[in-house]
Amino acid sequence: MEVILKQDIKGLGFKDDKVEVRNGYGRNFLIPKGMAILATESAKKMHAEILKQKAFKEDKLRKEASANAEKLNALTIKVGAKAGESGKIFGSVTNIQIAEALQKAGYAVERKNIELGEDTIKQLGSYTAKVRLFKEVVANVNFEVVAE
């Protein structure tokens, strides 16, 4: 039996995939739980149109993300932190502070999309963070931790 998945299912496939499953698994589990629909001719046509529209939207988002990535690569932001005389920070700089600094600079980036190269930043200085703007579009943002 061929079904179209409505959501990601571990070990089976991702959303909008057409997969072949056993009749009982599809009829008694996937379809009643709303995880999949039967792949009839009309459903296949609708699915193809949805994928076409989704690809168009993703292409537009990818282009915007690439343009923003180029701007972010050239950007250097300053993150203020309370520090002692030796340059050691009280606490640490996290992706939350980086997201706030990017927000002030005019870039809306979620904190979960920011990866700091090191586990914790506890010293003043210059660092680089990776910002994921789209699935495969990643920008390297330079930031400087300065004493407040």
Side-chain angles (χ1 to χ4, degrees), residues 63-76:
K63 287 179 183 176
E64 289 177 13
S66 296
N68 284 338
E70 290 178 19
K71 292 176 187 174
L72 284 174
N73 285 334
L75 181 70
T76 301

Side-chain angles (χ1 to χ4, degrees), residues 12-60:
L12 188 60
F14 298 103
K15 182 179 179 184
D16 293 327
D17 283 350
K18 280 191 278 185
V19 294
E20 190 74 29
V21 295
R22 295 278 191 122
N23 290 341
Y25 183 53
R27 196 176 310 122
N28 298 326
F29 183 75
L30 293 175
I31 294 172
K33 294 227 181 221
M35 297 176 165
I37 58 171
L38 189 61
T40 60
E41 287 301 317
S42 63
K44 287 180 185 178
K45 288 178 184 175
M46 250 182 6
H47 179 257
E49 183 62 30
I50 289 169
L51 286 180
K52 186 173 147 186
Q53 291 175 0
K54 187 177 178 182
F56 180 75
K57 289 177 187 176
E58 280 187 356
D59 187 46
K60 182 178 175 186

Side-chain angles (χ1 to χ4, degrees), residues 1-134:
M1 155 183 278
E2 191 174 27
V3 295
I4 300 171
L5 298 179
K6 287 184 167 183
Q7 64 190 41
D8 295 349
I9 299 174
K10 188 175 180 179
L12 188 60
F14 298 103
K15 182 179 179 184
D16 293 327
D17 283 350
K18 280 191 278 185
V19 294
E20 190 74 29
V21 295
R22 295 278 191 122
N23 290 341
Y25 183 53
R27 196 176 310 122
N28 298 326
F29 183 75
L30 293 175
I31 294 172
K33 294 227 181 221
M35 297 176 165
I37 58 171
L38 189 61
T40 60
E41 287 301 317
S42 63
K44 287 180 185 178
K45 288 178 184 175
M46 250 182 6
H47 179 257
E49 183 62 30
I50 289 169
L51 286 180
K52 186 173 147 186
Q53 291 175 0
K54 187 177 178 182
F56 180 75
K57 289 177 187 176
E58 280 187 356
D59 187 46
K60 182 178 175 186
L61 290 173
R62 184 178 292 111
K63 287 179 183 176
E64 289 177 13
S66 296
N68 284 338
E70 290 178 19
K71 292 176 187 174
L72 284 174
N73 285 334
L75 181 70
T76 301
I77 57 175
K78 293 187 190 286
V79 177
K82 294 182 180 178
E85 292 178 15
S86 64
K88 187 170 181 178
I89 298 173
F90 300 126
S92 64
V93 175
T94 62
N95 57 356
I96 296 170
Q97 288 136 325
I98 306 295
E100 290 172 354
L102 285 171
Q103 185 75 33
K104 288 178 185 174
Y107 297 97
V109 177
E110 290 187 42
R111 66 185 178 113
K112 67 180 181 182
N113 294 332
I114 299 173
E115 293 178 25
L116 299 176
E118 300 160 21
D119 292 333
T120 56
I121 297 173
K122 294 188 178 240
Q123 292 285 335
L124 298 177
S126 297
Y127 299 94
T128 303
K130 289 185 179 183
V131 178
R132 184 169 302 283
L133 299 172
F134 197 67

